[in-house]
């Protein structure tokens, strides 16, 4: 906080209606009352001082009023008030001034050695004046007994007038410091909780954005491929409707099947998303948000990549369980073949089960690549290569140039297909490459690691950590 901001906050607190307005007003009223009482006391004691000093009584009364009224300034100039009380000690006035001044000095932020020196001076002055007065009041025949009675009496009066206010002031000062430190600690904790809550909100917003992106990607993969095939079959249906009614009927049946499949996939995905949504949002305490945010920050610092993957896997487990698998690639390729595309599918290596995210990502890469062939290279031959390796799976989809004279399907393209494929593969820590070939076609290549299976060249420690 800047100096200007601090001064404005202090002014606002001290302004009428602020949190510090009433305590300050009450302190001011108390100081005025003490000043009036001290002035009255010193004025009364000034009469005796004027008689003893053979001075006008009015002078003693005025001096007492001036000296006693200085107690009003005790909070601002505590040292000056104590010095004045020490100065008037020989005049035997200002008892209230000295007691309250010592208390204020001990309770203020004045260095303790200064407070100790002034308290010692006040005590010494009180002791000497009391002892002299005691000697003056005793007759000369009792001088022997007064030798020990005078110091004892003077010491008692001195301790009674100096020790209680000084000790009480030190206690109030220590208590005030403790309260201030506790308040500062509470303010610091509140600021820390607010900061953690803001970070938790930022992470929640980031998670929401990631979830929106993932849902949009799923929608694109499901709808774009199915609708693209439906448009291709509809165009073929329109072309052969009059020439070959049997083929037209077959194409119409395929269009209906693809539409039902698209609706089924969308329904499954949306159903899982709705079932995962909480039925009732309850307010979460700020402390709970802070604890959760702290735990999340520590977990992210310890293992950022692993925790992000685990969190994402838990969040989308229901959707992925209903998602496609590699075993459905034959059916996917069959749909494109039924639409008139020449597709060659080859599988290398030993087939096995992978994690749901790995199989779904590989399936979506092939699906989106076939969709792009339908959109941008109608009639082109396509080659799909799926290779099972040690702890990863490689996917290659390559198509040749579009056949001359092939009718363009007229499908719109938003340019999100390749971006979505790259995001999917990069999320799993894989590599993705796409681009045109020398023959005029297009190639899509992806290598997707399966983190649930250690690589053969891994060390024992890395295998254990991966497991």
């Amino acid at each position: 906080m800047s100096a200007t901001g601090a001064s404005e906050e202090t002014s606002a607190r001290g302004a009428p209606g602020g949190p510090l307005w009433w305590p300050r007003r009450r302190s001011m009223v108390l100081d005025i009352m003490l000043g009036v009482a001290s002035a009255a006391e010193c004025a009364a004691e000034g009469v005796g001082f004027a008689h003893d000093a053979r001075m006008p009584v009015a002078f003693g009364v005025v001096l007492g009023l001036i000296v006693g009224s200085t107690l009003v300034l005790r909070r601002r100039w505590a040292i000056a008030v104590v010095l004045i009380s020490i100065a008037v000690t020989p005049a035997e006035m200002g008892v209230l001034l000295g007691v309250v001044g010592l208390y204020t000095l001990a309770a203020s932020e004045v260095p303790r050695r200064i407070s100790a020196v002034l308290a010692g001076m006040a005590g010494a002055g009180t002791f000497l004046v009391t002892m002299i007065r005691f000697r003056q009041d005793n007759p000369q025949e009792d001088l022997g007994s007064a030798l020990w009675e005078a110091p004892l009496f003077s010491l008692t009066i001195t301790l009674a007038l100096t020790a209680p206010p000084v000790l009480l002031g030190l206690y109030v000062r220590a208590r005030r410091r403790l309260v201030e430190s506790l308040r500062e600690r509470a303010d610091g904790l509140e600021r820390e909780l607010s900061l953690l809550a803001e970070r938790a909100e930022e992470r929640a917003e980031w998670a929401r954005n990631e979830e929106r992106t993932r849902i949009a990607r799923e929608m694109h993969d499901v709808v774009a491929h199915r609708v693209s095939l439906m448009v291709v079959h509809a165009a073929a249906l329109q072309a052969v409707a009059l020439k070959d009614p049997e083929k037209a009927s077959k194409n119409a049946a395929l269009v209906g099947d693809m539409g039902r499949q698209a609706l089924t996939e969308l329904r499954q995905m949306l159903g899982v998303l709705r079932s995962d949504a909480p039925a009732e949002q309850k307010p979460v305490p700020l402390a709970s948000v802070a604890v959760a945010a702290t735990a999340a920050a520590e977990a992210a610092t310890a293992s950022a990549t692993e925790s992000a993957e685990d969190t994402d896997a838990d969040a989308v487990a229901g959707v992925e369980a209903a998602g496609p698998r590699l075993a459905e690639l034959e059916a996917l390729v069959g749909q494109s073949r039924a639409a008139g595309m020449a597709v060659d599918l080859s599988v290398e290596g030993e087939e096995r089960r992978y994690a749901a995210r790995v199989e779904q990502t590989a399936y979506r890469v092939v699906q989106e690549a076939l969709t792009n062939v339908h959109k941008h290279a109608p009639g082109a031959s396509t080659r799909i290569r799926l290779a099972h390796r040690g702890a990863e799976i490689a996917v290659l989809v390559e198509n040749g140039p579009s056949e001359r004279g092939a009718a363009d399907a007229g499908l719109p393209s938003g340019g999100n297909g390749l971006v979505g494929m790259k995001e999917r593969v990069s999320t799993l820590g894989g590599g993705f490459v796409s681009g045109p070939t020398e023959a005029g076609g297009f190639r899509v290549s992806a290598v997707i690691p399966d983190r649930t299976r250690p690589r053969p060249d891994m060390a024992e420690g890395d295998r254990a950590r991966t497991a």
Side-chain angles (χ1 to χ4, degrees):
M1 181 182 294
S2 61
T4 304
S7 60
E8 291 178 355
E9 182 180 359
T10 305
S11 302
R13 291 184 176 183
L20 298 180
W21 176 72
W22 171 245
R24 288 184 177 180
R25 184 177 181 181
R26 184 174 57 185
S27 301
M28 186 182 300
V29 172
L30 177 61
D31 292 344
I32 293 175
M33 294 177 61
L34 290 175
V36 171
S38 177
E41 178 205 353
C42 291
E45 295 170 347
V47 175
F49 170 71
H51 285 299
D52 295 340
R54 298 179 180 181
M55 299 173 59
V57 176
F59 176 79
V61 172
V62 172
L63 179 63
L65 291 175
I66 294 175
V67 171
S69 61
T70 57
L71 189 59
V72 178
L73 308 176
R74 67 186 182 95
R75 297 183 188 273
R76 182 171 297 182
W77 294 303
I79 297 178
V81 172
V82 174
L83 289 176
I84 292 175
S85 69
I86 295 174
V88 299
T89 299
E92 298 183 13
M93 67 171 60
V95 176
L96 180 62
L97 178 67
V99 171
V100 178
L102 287 176
Y103 163 77
T104 306
L105 180 66
S108 64
E109 297 300 327
V110 176
R112 291 188 175 181
R113 66 173 180 272
I114 296 179
S115 301
V117 171
L118 293 178
M121 293 173 59
T126 303
F127 179 81
L128 293 175
V129 171
T130 305
M131 189 170 179
I132 294 173
R133 174 62 66 180
F134 186 85
R135 292 283 182 86
Q136 291 175 354
D137 293 342
N138 283 327
Q140 294 296 327
E141 58 271 19
D142 296 333
L143 185 59
S145 63
L147 290 177
W148 63 270
E149 289 181 357
L152 180 61
F153 178 77
S154 301
L155 181 62
T156 302
I157 296 299
T158 301
L159 293 178
L161 294 178
T162 57
V166 171
L167 294 177
L168 181 61
L170 292 176
Y171 167 75
V172 172
R173 177 181 181 179
R175 184 175 179 275
R176 184 186 299 122
R177 285 188 174 183
L178 177 61
V179 171
E180 289 178 356
S181 64
L182 292 176
R183 184 182 294 112
E184 291 178 358
R185 184 179 301 178
D187 293 340
L189 290 176
E190 184 177 358
R191 288 192 297 269
E192 185 177 355
L193 290 176
S194 300
L195 180 60
L196 291 174
E198 292 177 0
R199 290 181 178 177
E201 182 62 26
E202 291 177 357
R203 292 185 179 182
E205 183 63 26
W206 174 81
R208 284 192 291 268
N209 293 333
E210 289 293 320
E211 187 68 8
R212 293 191 192 101
T213 303
R214 188 189 61 80
I215 293 175
R217 190 165 55 238
E218 289 288 336
M219 293 288 191
H220 175 272
D221 291 342
V222 171
V223 174
H225 181 73
R226 302 294 183 188
V227 174
S228 298
L229 290 179
M230 291 170 64
V231 171
V232 172
H233 282 288
L237 177 62
Q238 183 180 7
V240 301
L242 299 178
K243 300 179 182 179
D244 192 349
E246 182 178 355
K247 188 175 182 180
S249 176
K250 183 178 180 181
N251 288 341
L254 289 175
V255 171
D257 291 340
M258 292 176 186
R260 283 186 289 271
Q261 291 176 2
L263 290 175
T264 300
E265 292 186 13
L266 288 175
R267 188 179 297 110
Q268 289 175 348
M269 182 169 58
L270 296 177
V272 172
L273 291 175
R274 290 194 185 98
S275 64
D276 289 341
E280 181 181 1
Q281 294 290 342
K282 297 182 180 180
V284 180
L286 183 62
S288 300
V289 175
V291 172
T294 304
E298 292 177 355
T301 303
S303 182
T305 305
E306 287 79 3
S307 62
E309 292 174 355
D310 294 341
T311 302
D312 187 59
D314 293 338
V316 301
V319 178
E320 291 176 345
R325 297 288 184 142
L326 289 177
E328 303 176 24
L329 276 181
E330 288 288 348
L332 179 67
V333 172
Q335 294 173 359
S336 296
R337 288 171 179 169
M341 180 188 297
V343 184
D344 180 24
L345 174 63
S346 62
V347 179
E348 301 177 3
E350 181 182 357
E351 295 185 10
R352 62 175 181 272
R353 297 285 292 181
Y354 293 90
R357 302 184 68 197
V358 175
E359 294 198 14
Q360 184 178 357
T361 301
Y363 180 93
R364 294 302 188 191
V365 168
V366 176
Q367 184 185 56
E368 181 60 28
L370 292 176
T371 302
N372 289 338
V373 175
H374 285 292
K375 287 182 179 180
H376 307 294
S381 60
T382 306
R383 180 171 65 95
I384 302 174
R385 179 189 173 190
L386 184 67
H388 299 278
R389 298 175 181 173
E392 62 188 17
I393 181 173
V395 179
L396 173 66
V397 181
E398 182 179 356
N399 64 274
S402 177
E403 294 183 357
R404 296 182 179 180
D408 189 357
L411 293 171
S413 176
N416 297 320
L418 295 176
V419 175
M421 284 190 283
K422 186 175 182 179
E423 289 177 352
R424 284 181 179 275
V425 176
S426 299
T427 301
L428 297 180
F432 178 84
V433 178
S434 63
T437 61
E438 297 179 356
F442 200 83
R443 178 188 296 113
V444 172
S445 177
V447 178
I448 308 168
D450 184 11
R451 297 186 181 273
T452 60
R453 300 175 65 89
R455 294 192 303 270
D457 56 345
M458 273 188 176
E460 291 297 332
D462 296 334
R463 293 186 181 184
R465 184 168 57 254
T466 303

